[in-house]
Amino acid sequence: MGNCCERAASFFGPQKNTYVRVSLPAVCFVWQIAMVVLFGVFIRYDDESDVKGWLQYKKEHNITSDIENDFYFRYPSFQDVHVMIFVGFGFLMTFLKRYSFSGVGFNFLIAAFGLQWALLMQGWFHSLDPVTGKIHIGIESLINADFCCAASLIAYGALLGKVSPVQLMVVTLFGVTLFAVEEYIILDLFHCRDSGGSMVIHTFGGYYGLAISWVLYRPNLHLSKRLQGSVYHSDLFAMIGALFLWMFWPSFNSAISHHGDGQLRTAINTYLALASGVLTAVAISSLAEKKGKLDMVHIQNSTLAAGVAMGSAAEFMIMPYGSLIVGFCSGIISTFGYLYVTPFLEKYLKLQDTCGIHNLHAVPGMLGGFVGAIVAAAASVDVYSEQGLINTFSLEGKYRNRTLGTQGAYQAAGTCVAIAFGLVGGVCVGFILRLPIWADPADDFCFDDEAYWELPEDEETIPPVLEYNNHMTHKSQDTCESNFALEES
Amino acid sequence: MGNCCERAASFFGPQKNTYVRVSLPAVCFVWQIAMVVLFGVFIRYDDESDVKGWLQYKKEHNITSDIENDFYFRYPSFQDVHVMIFVGFGFLMTFLKRYSFSGVGFNFLIAAFGLQWALLMQGWFHSLDPVTGKIHIGIESLINADFCCAASLIAYGALLGKVSPVQLMVVTLFGVTLFAVEEYIILDLFHCRDSGGSMVIHTFGGYYGLAISWVLYRPNLHLSKRLQGSVYHSDLFAMIGALFLWMFWPSFNSAISHHGDGQLRTAINTYLALASGVLTAVAISSLAEKKGKLDMVHIQNSTLAAGVAMGSAAEFMIMPYGSLIVGFCSGIISTFGYLYVTPFLEKYLKLQDTCGIHNLHAVPGMLGGFVGAIVAAAASVDVYSEQGLINTFSLEGKYRNRTLGTQGAYQAAGTCVAIAFGLVGGVCVGFILRLPIWADPADDFCFDDEAYWELPEDEETIPPVLEYNNHMTHKSQDTCESNFALEES
Amino acid sequence: MGNCCERAASFFGPQKNTYVRVSLPAVCFVWQIAMVVLFGVFIRYDDESDVKGWLQYKKEHNITSDIENDFYFRYPSFQDVHVMIFVGFGFLMTFLKRYSFSGVGFNFLIAAFGLQWALLMQGWFHSLDPVTGKIHIGIESLINADFCCAASLIAYGALLGKVSPVQLMVVTLFGVTLFAVEEYIILDLFHCRDSGGSMVIHTFGGYYGLAISWVLYRPNLHLSKRLQGSVYHSDLFAMIGALFLWMFWPSFNSAISHHGDGQLRTAINTYLALASGVLTAVAISSLAEKKGKLDMVHIQNSTLAAGVAMGSAAEFMIMPYGSLIVGFCSGIISTFGYLYVTPFLEKYLKLQDTCGIHNLHAVPGMLGGFVGAIVAAAASVDVYSEQGLINTFSLEGKYRNRTLGTQGAYQAAGTCVAIAFGLVGGVCVGFILRLPIWADPADDFCFDDEAYWELPEDEETIPPVLEYNNHMTHKSQDTCESNFALEES
């Protein structure tokens, strides 16, 4: 297998090679060493994770029990988010028949690098101690770092199969950097609430990936068409990823929302929206096929759009039926996207979006941003109470006098900032990735793990062929013997 | 592949078609819209998830810390239960060689619809506010909704491969409805304790599914025999489901048990019983084969019976060795069931039980109900203390004077109610499902994803065949070239 | 398939059989009955899981809220550890092409037995009530029992494919016993801190398995070479295991560390080290192949070494950059081990280590032990504060006057004890396992599930062959028809 594919590759694409033996280790080592140095200079434990700090914190705040440590409020949600990042996103991208190693493996690499860089970038922008010049990290920092990676992983979804791991590291480096800046603008300057990241994660990540993919357009991608589909079992692996994303989305949205009712309400709203989205995604998927058959692409992806669309509003008093309505719409929009918009984008806008992140992240994220804006603008003292409004929208300090209409406007503006950052940032990064130094695969060698992985000889595809040859030469041998013969050869 | 299967289907079963293009979207849309409307009328946040409510609740109960919100007591268990429902049940049903998409996919659909309907039904029966006419939902409602779905998913286990998704929606609609009623009788009227649902979930769900399957008996199911087994990798996917069920069963049983010692004791007891059940299931499985080989069916299923059998008693003071004994017996009973009872039921009672839910849910659930009755009847002030008895069995208010013997008798009666509801309800629903309008597959087209899913062309089975043809016509081509040729064709 | 493999087996290895029909059920039943009896005599609930106990405990400690029950501090971490033991270790061992059932199945059996025996052994050594002669178990006991199993599961990694399930039960029986003793010496007598078990779990487990494997050396193992690799999808199953281990390692290390800052800091440090280790493992893996291709073995295993290496030090104030450095080194060391040390050990030391536990557990565990020693010795009042030092190193009671240098020396000595117990214990158990009564497979029948499992006839490999024969005899039949024909035959 190895041999013959190499031959094929050299026949079709002699102009490109996918050797990353120098570049990949170099990038990994240099960046990891940089991380060690920068962490040494900047990163310290926060009060809740520091031996001395926590003793002092308890004394100052008159806390008697360790259960008040933020660890116990957020750690279960953090672990759910962690599973979403590594197993959820990772396995969702294993659906291609021969790109599963790269799907889950490069996802792993990106996230492992991205979360370190995110701790630094987010630290510099959000929590740099002005006196000591240090960043103090705790459980919320870990969650935010995971969130930040998510944007780059979403971008990977659009690029899946068409880029090298070195390019992905570049995508992540810039992705995390841009994320920290737009997040600073949206959450700090605009003072938006976006606990599940409809804007900062999904809208930004979606458009970032789409813009890169647009710049990297490959006119001859059809040469890899043979590998662009799934096989039965690769779809089941992808289903593992899809379900872990679906199940843990309530934790994703509620992981950093307000303690108490905030986390609980966010979880409830997300749970309801997701359930609603499944039914409409199934309905549209079935409607679109002449006998009503379902398409795994929709089941794996469109059922998740509701979680994306609830990323801003889930923390607000959107009411249970409001959540159902948002889920209802997202399931429909997302499935329509897979059916009609993705093919349209590819044909007319020259935009190749492998996983359809346009339908799963970009559009539902945008929807979520605007739903958040509307729900915020519609908030009233009647429903929230005075104190409740202040808590929910953090209208304290210099934001004390902001009206809810203004808050809504800022939420909407935040969504636009996320789109702009995604598109402009993505185009710039895309041009960087077009430099001929990144060892990306030739057009006929896309969607193929062979490019970057040592693959096992595959018992399941190879033997019958050889067996056949054996049969031809030693006619009377029985199946079993030839089977053993070939496996030993 | 697609083409030839269609041809085969039209040859064997021209009288039936599996087109769900109208019915499935119609059911999904109508029911989801109904959910939106009913949620709008009835469902509101409870005090712990409402902005105003939680502020007030904290003031009234003199609570200073948000950590006292029920979210922090139950959310980790809720997420474990959620994983059991979607990944656990879902992947356990992927064991068939060509029905894995339906196994995990329809499980997803059923649960997503069921949990919405469950919030309404359980709300109406258990927590309808008599003044406002509203149902207030919180974290416990979500867990209960997941539990309620479990009964319908269990029923799906008996029907796996033989029904259409539209039928499954009907099974779920009635399943959830019946569940809410029998739960009301058992938990509210009889005042039983059943935190892990031995009675209300497993016994009811098991007999409900068996009764439906009995009514839907297919005399010519052998026509689908070629698809009724597993393949190597489908058994591994099923093992994912089995293990997530096994691991999280302590959370399942303890998710809604009493705060503090109640949740911890329930988890410990379930953990021990499950461990014990693995050893006896392995032992019987090995004993039954002439060389002592193990059967994956038993490892995937019978190892779980102990969790079912501890659903009622795990919260009581059954003692650690008591848990081991319950696990010991369930492992044996369940494996025996798979070896002898299921074939017997199929042959003599005309009962086709695809997943063997009789052995995994119905009988162990019944066992669990009676174990709960015995342990309750044997409770004493000596072991529990006065206050402990009151807490554990909620013997307050009008149940203040109930003796433990009476409590035991009610627990036993509750089990019988669950059986009765399952059997009678299942027979009725079965007859509804025999109407010739549901697009269920013909006898020779069961256990086949082809009926309701657009399947990928499978690289793993198809190529060698075509390759062979290629070899026949262009004799001297080498393997690699023909491989590419066929993939591009 | 079944038939022909049996034939092959009888041809190659008539001297050995793998029948476990008597031995396996006998061991399971006898040991499980012994567990029931011993639990009856010794095991009781602790104060936090007992109805009466918790009421009294709350009164004595003036606790008003159930949230102070240790359940809420540790249960989420416990469940993560549980997932690591059953899905993490289990699926990591499914990478072989035809040994996945045994990988995940025997892992399940070992752990289910091991945790029961561990509750007893650890109870006798650590928490036997001197007055009543009882062991009181709570949530921490469950976590410790899972930890204790981990050592035997690590040992299984070295033996994978070469031993019978009965031998594995023996490995576990002695493994758990030895574990309890060395743990008693290291944690109680030496008073070391080892919350994630670098020493007691990984170092011990690693050398225990290696020593057994060394004694059981098979000179003709090359006869099973055909089955010693992976296939594409088995590598993906293994990736599920690898990722769940990687994601939940912060919970593993922090599960039994100190409440509050202790658990949080341990989680942060482990999270950082693991991220760092991924990059260096990828770098070395890529460097080692002539085109820079990655090897799945390294991605699945070496990325985890950082978690092992942080098992002791993660609870200390190693500082975030310190964690990154430990991860950096472990990723490199572990990948080098897979590339050069494992082949060396096999060739020159006659040590066959199927999963490479030398590189994933033994060496990183040892590294972790010494890192812990250094970080402990370097601790200062400046960083920890007086009270902080006492809390972190439990320097209370008779250890009040121990200096940190001494503590470091004890930590180092503890590592040596773990190595010694592993090697000596392993050699002894190895000789027991060489008795000719254990039904282990012949050299040409290793790595084959056929030996102990009833395997499904595999649609994926068989049909094409038969099909071919059909083509030969009925030349003009089309593919589809022959396909049906063979499946019905």
Side-chain angles (χ1 to χ4, degrees), chain A residues 14-29:
Chain A
Q15 76 288 4
K16 279 205 170 189
N17 76 58
T18 56
Y19 297 5
V20 291
R21 197 187 180 184
V22 174
S23 53
L24 184 58
V27 166
C28 288
F29 272 123

Side-chain angles (χ1 to χ4, degrees), chain B residues 232-426:
Chain B
Y232 195 70
H233 282 165
S234 73
D235 263 330
L236 281 172
F237 281 112
M239 204 63 200
I240 296 174
L243 283 177
F244 273 102
L245 287 172
W246 194 91
M247 295 181 304
F248 287 163
W249 218 294
S251 300
F252 191 91
N253 286 350
S254 70
I256 55 161
S257 60
H258 286 299
H259 285 178
D261 64 296
Q263 288 196 278
L264 177 50
R265 189 172 53 256
T266 311
I268 293 174
N269 287 332
T270 311
Y271 170 93
L272 292 175
L274 285 162
S276 172
V278 173
L279 270 84
T280 53
V282 166
I284 303 292
S285 182
S286 174
L287 260 183
E289 207 266 350
K290 66 180 191 299
K291 296 180 188 169
K293 292 186 185 188
L294 300 173
D295 188 332
M296 256 295 166
V297 170
H298 309 148
I299 306 304
Q300 286 160 5
N301 293 280
S302 301
T303 52
L304 303 170
V308 174
M310 289 299 284
S312 290
E315 198 178 358
F316 308 153
M317 294 287 288
I318 190 174
M319 305 312 288
Y321 70 90
S323 306
L324 291 187
I325 293 170
V326 172
F328 194 97
C329 301
S330 347
I332 294 172
I333 291 170
S334 179
T335 316
F336 265 113
Y338 279 97
L339 287 165
Y340 306 111
V341 183
T342 299
F344 176 90
L345 290 179
E346 176 148 6
K347 200 159 173 197
Y348 297 104
L349 287 194
K350 307 292 179 203
L351 178 49
Q352 291 152 334
D353 177 7
T354 317
C355 295
I357 62 164
H358 182 264
N359 318 302
L360 172 48
H361 295 282
V363 171
M366 213 164 50
L367 174 68
F370 292 119
V371 169
I374 293 166
V375 179
S380 69
V381 176
D382 216 41
V383 173
Y384 290 76
S385 81
E386 282 287 352
Q387 186 59 40
L389 277 178
I390 293 170
N391 291 355
T392 307
F393 297 98
S394 304
L395 297 177
E396 295 162 305
K398 66 176 172 176
Y399 302 102
R400 207 175 37 228
N401 297 319
R402 184 185 274 190
T403 66
L404 291 160
T406 318
Q407 179 68 28
Y410 272 110
Q411 300 268 146
T415 311
C416 302
V417 169
I419 297 171
F421 260 80
L423 289 178
V424 176

Side-chain angles (χ1 to χ4, degrees), chain A residues 21 45 52 72 75 449 452, chain C residues 232 251 260 263 269 287 382:
Chain A
R21 197 187 180 184
Y45 302 118
K52 236 158 84 175
Y72 303 104
Y75 191 72
D449 277 337
Y452 305 109
Chain C
Y232 196 70
S251 300
Q263 288 196 279
N269 288 331
L287 260 183
D382 217 41

Side-chain angles (χ1 to χ4, degrees), chain A residues 336-393:
Chain A
F336 264 112
Y338 279 97
L339 286 165
Y340 305 111
V341 183
T342 299
F344 176 90
L345 290 179
E346 175 146 6
K347 201 161 172 197
Y348 297 103
L349 287 195
K350 306 294 179 202
L351 179 49
Q352 291 153 335
D353 177 6
T354 316
C355 294
I357 61 163
H358 182 264
N359 319 302
L360 173 47
H361 296 281
V363 171
M366 212 162 52
L367 174 68
F370 293 119
V371 169
I374 294 165
V375 178
S380 69
V381 176
D382 216 42
V383 174
Y384 289 77
S385 81
E386 282 287 351
Q387 186 60 39
L389 277 179
I390 293 170
N391 292 355
T392 307
F393 298 98

Side-chain angles (χ1 to χ4, degrees), chain B residues 171-222:
Chain B
V171 167
T172 310
L173 182 76
F174 288 105
V176 168
T177 311
L178 289 162
F179 182 97
V181 179
E182 56 110 27
E183 190 194 32
Y184 176 71
I185 297 173
I186 296 172
L187 301 190
D188 289 37
L189 300 188
F190 288 10
H191 198 69
C192 298
R193 292 291 308 169
D194 192 23
S195 72
S198 278
M199 301 181 256
V200 296
I201 301 169
H202 299 288
T203 306
F204 165 72
Y207 285 106
Y208 179 59
L210 290 171
I212 296 174
S213 189
W214 180 71
V215 175
L216 295 183
Y217 180 69
R218 288 169 177 268
N220 297 313
L221 195 57
H222 58 87

